[in-house]
Amino acid sequence: MPIVEVAISVPLNRTFDYQSDSRVTVGARVKVPFGAKKVIGIVLSNKDKSEFNKLKSVEEILDQAPILDKPILDFLFWAAKYYHHPIGEVVLAAMPKNLRLGKEAKIKKVIGLPIKTSQPDFEITTEQNLAINAILDKQNAFHGFLLHGVTGSGKTEVYLRITQEALNQGKQILVLVPEIGLTPQMISRFESRLNTRVVAIHSQLNETQKLDAYLMAKNGDAGVVLGTRSAIFAPMPKLGMIIIDEEHDGSFKQQSSFRYSARDLSFIRARQADIPLILGTATPSLETLKNSMDGKLTRLTLANRAGDASMPKVSLIDMRSNFDGALSKMLLEKMQQYLSKSKQVMLFINRRGYAPVYFCTECSWKSECDHCNSSMIYHRHINRLKCHHCGDEKMPEQTCPDCGEQSLEVYGYGTERLEETLSSHFPETPIIRIDRDTTRRKKALSQHLEKINSGDPCIIVGTQMLAKGHDFSNLAMVGILDIDGGFLSINFRATEYLAQLLIQVSGRAGRNGKQGEVVIQTRYPDHPMFNYVLSNRYTQFASGLLKQRMSAMMPPFAHQALLCANAKNKQHAEDFLREVAGLLKSIEMNTVEIWGPTANSIEKKADYYYFNLYLQSNNRAALHQMLATFNQHVDTIKLKNKVRWYLDVDPID
Ligand code: ADP
Ligand code: ZN
Ligand code: ZN
């Protein structure tokens, strides 16, 4: 009887053999008994013999044709090996949920070809033309490009033209974008230009839509697949090019279960498919800059804004002498100037809720989460204190739990309080607040964006959801509040991220003709980073950071992995990692450094204590060999069943 090898989504580094009445296509789904349950698995191979006796039988073969074709399976094998993650979990995570649940692989609603497309009424610039030609020159083999273009320089126009060219040759194009906030505008730009089916893959879709999009990518009907990070796994038989927009963005890294970087994996996928890879951004990550310096990426530059737009003027407001609350007088005056000229103004503050601190003015008490090392954030519209880490919430106390006085107050600002304060300063002006609280409803975000795109004067208040990709044509001024936390962070990447964020947020201003203005409020106006941000010299700033990283032998000049353990019992989490450290040190590999265990920067989250063990080496192969050895021996660690643990290869925070 034939035997099939099946990948099942369990946290074990192995596959499972089953008997089958007939051979099964590799990459097809089967329903198999597993313990007391029936589960869906993917067939990885057919064989005649198994090293196990008494095999159970396949219950049902769900597909005649493979769901995962050979190129995707090869790609997933590579990813599972690199991230040292169980193959079954990787393979099943790559499919939409309905396929994991065993639903039929059939398209419900076929989207048609566009009825009408329109072409732009401008000529491309010389810089754009050079970039397009450089990419098209190499379109028939693997080649990596960094498209480094300042915000508003017309990178998307470059994507559209190279995509059209690849479509003309019958190819499919995969475009990855950071987050849902960015997608509606991107989708419509691609849809209105290209005479092909553009399918989107992102979290706002329902499961039926996700399956349809996946299957249209797989059968080649979709010329363009535009998606967030998981779209890197979309099967595309005629894949001819991969574009990663805003490659520096942290959301390309999955931060739970299978912790992969879609940006990093795109190199492997492009190389396996032997096609070009384009990483676009105004603020390249240090990893990408190093790759371009090492010749792994060809750098293409768009140094100027497209059309008649110029870069915004950026200035600082020193908040050390400000006693007016969140908004300095100077900022309010500037806002007034633009609003009176019927322009839009945007304020960016990276905290939602009303106020981040609820405290006693008499003693030092402040409200903290019972389950986490973090303060409770006050939300006024529901009159509740909420923990943004575990989601716990409660009614605010009326009297101080420590001293009994009725002296409790809020301190600091979030988007909700900023909105309230602004409405007292500008009672006539509509205020549009965009954060996770105001966009939870489906469609809410697109309704807000529609209002902004109508161009009527308004004040936009938002969190980092607003930082990326949006192109608001009547937005003349951007105010950035409360970024100083970035200077105090212990993450060694914090200043890199802060510079990227400031430039991205600033890039929203003045896209259309008139020069825009950006104002940053800070208590650290002398920080050297501002010299570069104010004069738009990101590359020089990043080069300086790269030098520091090189002399400190930090990423991207060294490779890291993080082992995180967490448990309700603090000692268990720490001792588990001590034992792991002992095991790792017994592996003779002196090119790998081991640091820790140390408590996580937020030690307790939702009643679990988090500890970290860092591995670092400038020899990637050595690091990975150590991780593989660890994986083989992890079962020998005594506390293994008392903790939850995960491995994060190339961690970013
Ligand atoms: P980026 O993606 O680099 O931020 P976009 O592609 O969104 O930039 O371009 C910014 C704006 O400039 C868009 O409105 C776009 O239509 C316009 N644009 C792009 N290329 C040109 C060009 N060559 N001439 C005039 N306008 C252009
Ligand atoms: Zn008190
Ligand atoms: Zn909490």
Side-chain angles (χ1 to χ4, degrees):
M1 234 189 194
I3 293 167
V4 290
E5 180 193 8
V6 180
I8 292 171
S9 185
V10 285
L12 298 170
N13 289 311
R14 50 164 296 197
T15 54
F16 299 86
D17 290 348
Y18 288 88
Q19 275 185 344
S20 168
D21 295 337
S22 57
R23 290 172 68 86
V24 183
T25 318
V26 169
R29 292 170 303 157
V30 286
K31 188 192 268 181
V32 292
F34 189 79
K37 287 187 295 192
K38 309 266 185 271
V39 299
I40 304 293
I42 289 279
V43 172
L44 298 184
S45 69
N46 287 277
K47 34 184 172 172
D48 300 322
K49 272 212 225 50
S50 171
E51 53 182 306
F52 303 98
N53 316 321
K54 290 208 196 137
L55 296 183
K56 291 183 187 167
S57 296
V58 169
E59 196 115 316
E60 192 185 343
I61 299 169
L62 298 178
D63 307 298
Q64 295 312 312
I67 293 290
L68 300 172
D69 57 15
K70 173 121 185 3
I72 283 291
L73 278 176
D74 287 346
F75 178 53
L76 294 171
F77 284 132
W78 193 96
K81 186 156 182 251
Y82 182 81
Y83 290 106
H84 301 270
H85 200 84
I87 182 68
E89 289 193 347
V90 170
V91 165
L92 280 115
M95 302 191 302
K97 190 169 170 197
N98 278 354
L99 291 181
R100 288 202 297 272
L101 293 174
K103 299 217 168 124
E104 195 186 356
K106 198 172 147 204
I107 298 173
K108 279 256 163 59
K109 187 165 164 249
V110 182
I111 56 166
L113 284 166
I115 299 164
K116 191 169 143 263
T117 56
S118 61
Q119 300 308 312
D121 53 8
F122 52 73
E123 298 284 310
I124 48 167
T125 64
T126 315
E127 286 182 323
Q128 284 171 322
N129 196 35
L130 283 171
I132 292 164
N133 288 335
I135 295 166
L136 293 180
D137 255 7
K138 305 271 188 210
Q139 61 182 312
N140 293 317
F142 172 72
H143 195 98
F145 294 94
L146 161 60
L147 179 61
H148 185 183
V150 298
T151 53
S153 58
K155 292 184 289 297
T156 314
E157 187 59 35
V158 172
Y159 303 155
L160 288 165
R161 303 226 175 191
I162 56 178
T163 297
Q164 184 62 63
E165 201 53 47
L167 286 171
N168 292 346
Q169 297 169 30
K171 295 173 183 169
Q172 292 177 290
I173 297 87
L174 174 61
V175 186
L176 295 192
V177 293
E179 249 164 37
I180 187 54
L182 177 57
T183 325
Q185 202 167 21
M186 268 300 238
I187 297 173
S188 61
R189 278 179 84 177
F190 273 75
E191 279 175 347
S192 63
R193 271 291 280 282
L194 305 168
N195 192 16
T196 186
R197 292 183 183 85
V198 176
V199 302
I201 297 185
H202 56 72
S203 59
Q204 297 284 88
L205 302 180
N206 65 38
E207 292 304 327
T208 312
Q209 293 168 317
K210 280 185 200 165
L211 178 57
D212 280 1
Y214 185 87
L215 294 174
M216 278 190 278
K218 176 171 140 51
N219 71 12
D221 276 353
V224 174
V225 173
L226 187 68
T228 45
R229 62 174 174 261
S230 67
I232 191 68
F233 301 118
M236 296 171 71
K238 298 180 284 183
L239 185 61
M241 186 154 34
I242 303 178
I243 298 170
I244 314 280
D245 188 31
E246 314 285 4
E247 68 77 28
H248 63 278
D249 195 279
S251 72
F252 288 121
K253 179 80 195 280
Q254 163 116 348
Q255 296 286 32
S256 62
S257 59
F258 171 33
R259 291 162 194 267
Y260 63 91
S261 158
R263 194 260 327 268
D264 295 350
L265 283 178
S266 70
F267 280 81
I268 305 307
R269 186 140 190 213
R271 181 168 290 144
Q272 289 185 346
D274 205 20
I275 55 171
L277 166 68
I278 297 97
L279 305 181
T281 178
T283 51
S285 62
L286 297 193
E287 282 71 16
T288 293
L289 275 182
K290 178 166 184 296
N291 279 334
S292 95
M293 281 161 37
D294 293 348
K296 291 185 186 157
L297 293 168
T298 301
R299 182 171 178 164
L300 306 169
T301 311
L302 307 179
N304 301 297
R305 280 197 158 180
D308 53 359
S310 50
M311 292 307 284
K313 174 172 152 269
V314 188
S315 59
L316 298 178
I317 296 178
D318 183 350
M319 293 298 276
R320 286 171 302 187
S321 52
N322 174 75
F323 304 103
D324 304 325
L327 299 163
S328 61
K329 264 212 187 72
M330 205 191 316
L331 182 70
L332 289 168
E333 278 165 17
K334 282 188 190 277
M335 289 175 71
Q336 183 58 52
Q337 281 169 23
Y338 284 100
L339 291 168
S340 65
K341 284 186 259 174
S342 290
K343 293 288 178 191
Q344 297 176 332
V345 169
M346 181 170 108
L347 294 188
F348 172 86
I349 180 167
N350 218 359
R351 189 185 300 113
R352 65 195 171 89
Y354 189 81
V357 184
Y358 186 63
F359 77 114
C360 172
T361 54
E362 292 296 316
C363 71
S364 60
W365 181 85
K366 88 177 194 192
S367 183
E368 281 182 354
C369 179
D370 295 333
H371 311 282
C372 308
N373 297 129
S374 80
S375 38
M376 296 292 271
I377 316 286
Y378 182 59
H379 287 249
R380 169 162 266 182
H381 66 294
I382 49 172
N383 188 31
R384 294 215 150 216
L385 291 163
K386 267 197 197 178
C387 173
H388 286 187
H389 290 285
C390 69
D392 194 38
E393 49 178 80
K394 60 182 178 194
M395 289 287 286
E397 291 85 349
Q398 294 302 309
T399 54
C400 174
D402 272 8
C403 71
E405 295 291 324
Q406 283 192 327
S407 50
L408 298 178
E409 280 180 19
V410 294
Y411 177 79
Y413 279 77
T415 46
E416 196 188 358
R417 189 173 185 193
L418 195 59
E419 181 184 16
E420 183 191 87
T421 309
L422 286 167
S423 62
S424 70
H425 285 288
F426 303 98
E428 309 296 325
T429 311
I431 299 170
I432 300 171
R433 167 155 71 98
I434 297 187
D435 59 27
R436 268 210 287 150
D437 296 317
T438 64
T439 55
R440 207 151 284 173
R441 253 182 336 105
K442 278 201 171 138
K443 298 245 165 74
L445 176 63
S446 51
Q447 282 165 3
H448 286 311
L449 294 177
E450 216 166 280
K451 256 197 247 160
I452 301 173
N453 287 325
S454 76
D456 294 339
C458 65
I459 302 172
I460 308 156
V461 173
T463 58
Q464 65 179 6
M465 286 181 79
L466 277 180
K468 296 165 210 161
H470 298 289
D471 190 354
F472 304 134
S473 57
N474 199 26
L475 180 66
M477 178 193 159
V478 171
I480 304 176
L481 319 181
D482 213 18
I483 45 135
D484 290 345
F487 294 124
L488 309 172
S489 167
I490 56 158
N491 183 347
F492 71 88
R493 298 180 208 263
T495 37
E496 175 192 349
Y497 291 164
L498 186 54
Q500 290 167 350
L501 184 71
L502 291 178
I503 289 169
Q504 294 291 340
V505 178
S506 306
R508 302 309 116 217
R511 288 207 156 212
N512 200 8
K514 296 255 164 50
Q515 191 185 31
E517 176 161 10
V518 177
V519 183
I520 304 170
Q521 294 191 156
T522 177
R523 293 180 166 275
Y524 300 90
D526 303 324
H527 194 285
M529 184 197 70
F530 286 122
N531 286 332
Y532 297 94
V533 171
L534 298 189
S535 55
N536 240 298
R537 287 180 296 147
Y538 175 80
T539 310
Q540 285 90 331
F541 176 64
S543 308
L545 288 183
L546 265 181
K547 284 206 189 91
Q548 289 171 17
R549 298 267 188 94
M550 182 155 74
S551 50
M553 271 328 247
M554 298 290 278
F557 296 91
H559 308 285
Q560 283 189 342
L562 159 69
L563 256 156
C564 174
N566 57 85
K568 284 196 167 160
N569 181 322
K570 183 171 165 180
Q571 211 54 49
H572 284 168
E574 198 175 353
D575 288 349
F576 169 82
L577 289 182
R578 278 222 182 85
E579 230 187 307
V580 172
L583 169 73
L584 295 177
K585 282 173 187 158
S586 74
I587 306 170
E588 287 284 308
M589 206 162 287
N590 49 22
T591 52
V592 183
E593 287 177 74
I594 297 163
W595 304 327
T598 52
N600 193 50
S601 59
I602 300 169
E603 186 175 321
K604 188 171 80 162
K605 277 187 270 185
D607 294 322
Y608 279 75
Y609 290 87
Y610 284 72
F611 281 82
N612 298 327
L613 189 69
Y614 280 93
L615 281 67
Q616 183 176 298
S617 178
N618 42 23
N619 179 342
R620 181 172 268 171
L623 176 68
H624 279 261
Q625 201 183 325
M626 183 176 266
L627 294 174
T629 315
F630 160 73
N631 248 339
Q632 281 160 16
H633 295 285
V634 61
D635 286 335
T636 65
I637 293 175
K638 285 195 277 323
L639 282 165
K640 187 189 169 224
N641 295 322
K642 297 249 194 280
V643 303
R644 306 186 298 192
W645 65 274
Y646 64 79
L647 176 62
D648 189 352
V649 176
D650 308 324
I652 60 170
D653 55 17

